[in-house]
Amino acid sequence: MKSILITGGSGKVGFQLVKHFLKKNYKVVTTTRNKKKFQENNLSKLESDILKNLNVIEVDFIENEAIEKISNYLVERKIILENIIHNARCLDFLKIEEDNSVSKENFSGEFYLDVIFPYHLNLSVIKQQDGELKNIVFVSSIYGIVAPTPGLYDDFNKSSPINYGVSKAAQIHLTKELAVRLGPETRVNCISFGGIKGRANDDFVKKYSSLTPLNKMLEEVDVVAPIEFLISESSSNMTGQNLIIDGGWTIW
């Protein structure tokens, strides 16, 4: 049975991935800061016969022992990971101050979550498993490639925190660095998604869609196929790449 770790499995992107890979008969390990909430909100959406392959770790990545907690969980259950999808996020770090700045704490917190923690988690898993990890995928964003468009937002300064894009840009370069340093045993790639429907109101969806050649935002389910491609043999010659799935947003 293939195995996969999906960080941030309770989010709208993360849960789509959890559900998909369970249905594909993967042993799925996912992380959440609130296991009870994850179970209450999501387990009813999953077929009972696939739940046996779901492993949920309650962990806050900001804790000093977070990586140790994940490592111990894997060892205790004899789980050998073949794939890691770095998808976790924390909306708390995206708060904007009254003067439209981002605090030092939130700036460093977002960078830690996107770059520093995934880096150390990768190394920990590789050291623990000695060559078994085949694929690492970072879930990034088009805002790691281009700056946001002010006219898209009713209040740009209050809606688009600078630390998000800067951290995502660093994540894209981390992908390249790790591809060099971890190959050929482990392939490392990244996906930069455009805007995904879910939280935005109709007016935002309309404005956003008008700025893409395909005239639409992504649906939640659209995140699945690109990630499945990057951990499959179909992409066996790809590493260090940033796959852009954005309806064409970044081409003009």
Side-chain angles (χ1 to χ4, degrees):
M1 179 181 290
K2 295 180 180 179
S3 59
I4 189 168
L5 168 62
I6 301 164
T7 66
S10 57
K12 62 179 182 176
V13 171
F15 185 67
Q16 288 293 326
L17 298 174
V18 167
K19 181 169 62 174
H20 173 78
F21 286 106
L22 282 173
K23 289 181 177 179
K24 287 283 188 174
N25 200 35
Y26 277 68
K27 182 180 289 295
V28 174
V29 182
T30 192
T31 64
T32 178
R33 289 189 294 167
N34 190 324
K35 185 174 181 179
K36 181 180 179 181
K37 186 176 178 181
F38 174 87
Q39 293 173 330
E40 290 175 348
N41 293 343
N42 297 312
L43 293 194
S44 63
K45 303 172 186 176
L46 299 171
E47 293 84 351
S48 58
D49 63 320
I50 62 177
L51 288 177
K52 65 181 183 297
N53 293 327
L54 176 62
N55 298 267
V56 182
I57 307 174
E58 183 175 80
V59 58
D60 188 336
F61 291 172
I62 302 302
E63 297 174 359
N64 290 330
E65 299 81 19
I67 290 179
E68 183 180 357
K69 184 179 290 188
I70 295 171
S71 177
N72 289 342
Y73 186 98
L74 297 174
V75 170
E76 289 168 5
R77 288 158 181 79
K78 297 182 172 61
I79 298 173
I80 302 297
L81 293 176
E82 296 171 273
N83 307 283
I84 298 178
I85 312 299
H86 291 290
N87 170 70
R89 57 182 311 201
C90 178
L91 296 180
D92 293 343
F93 294 141
L94 301 181
K95 293 177 180 176
I96 297 174
E97 303 299 304
E98 286 297 320
D99 64 356
N100 299 329
S101 68
V102 173
S103 70
K104 288 186 286 187
E105 293 76 17
N106 285 342
F107 214 126
S108 60
E110 181 70 7
F111 192 85
Y112 180 82
L113 189 66
D114 284 349
V115 179
I116 298 173
F117 182 85
Y119 167 72
H120 285 288
L121 178 59
N122 291 334
L123 297 186
S124 174
V125 170
I126 288 171
K127 182 178 180 181
Q128 177 181 314
Q129 298 188 166
D130 191 24
E132 297 294 331
L133 185 63
K134 302 304 180 187
N135 295 290
I136 297 169
V137 177
F138 288 93
V139 176
S140 190
S141 166
I142 54 172
Y143 284 169
I145 305 167
V146 296
T149 301
L152 182 61
Y153 303 93
D154 293 333
D155 187 347
F156 172 66
N157 289 323
K158 295 295 185 187
S159 303
S160 189
I162 190 172
N163 55 334
Y164 178 76
V166 171
S167 298
K168 289 301 185 183
Q171 195 176 64
I172 293 169
H173 189 73
L174 176 62
T175 297
K176 300 173 185 179
E177 290 277 356
L178 290 178
V180 172
R181 298 167 190 271
L182 301 183
E185 292 80 10
T186 304
R187 295 192 298 121
V188 188
N189 287 292
C190 183
I191 295 183
S192 289
F193 287 116
I196 302 171
K197 283 184 181 179
R199 297 191 183 96
N201 59 36
D202 291 344
D203 183 56
F204 182 92
V205 172
K206 184 177 180 180
K207 286 195 292 185
Y208 181 97
S209 299
S210 71
L211 296 173
T212 70
L214 294 184
N215 195 34
K216 63 179 182 178
M217 293 185 76
L218 302 179
E219 303 286 346
E220 291 181 9
V221 71
D222 291 335
V223 305
V224 172
I227 289 177
E228 185 168 38
F229 167 70
L230 285 181
I231 66 171
S232 73
E233 285 302 309
S234 297
S235 63
S236 60
N237 288 313
M238 286 181 64
T239 195
Q241 301 304 308
N242 179 36
L243 189 62
I244 304 171
I245 310 295
D246 66 350
W249 173 280
T250 53
I251 67 172
W252 59 8

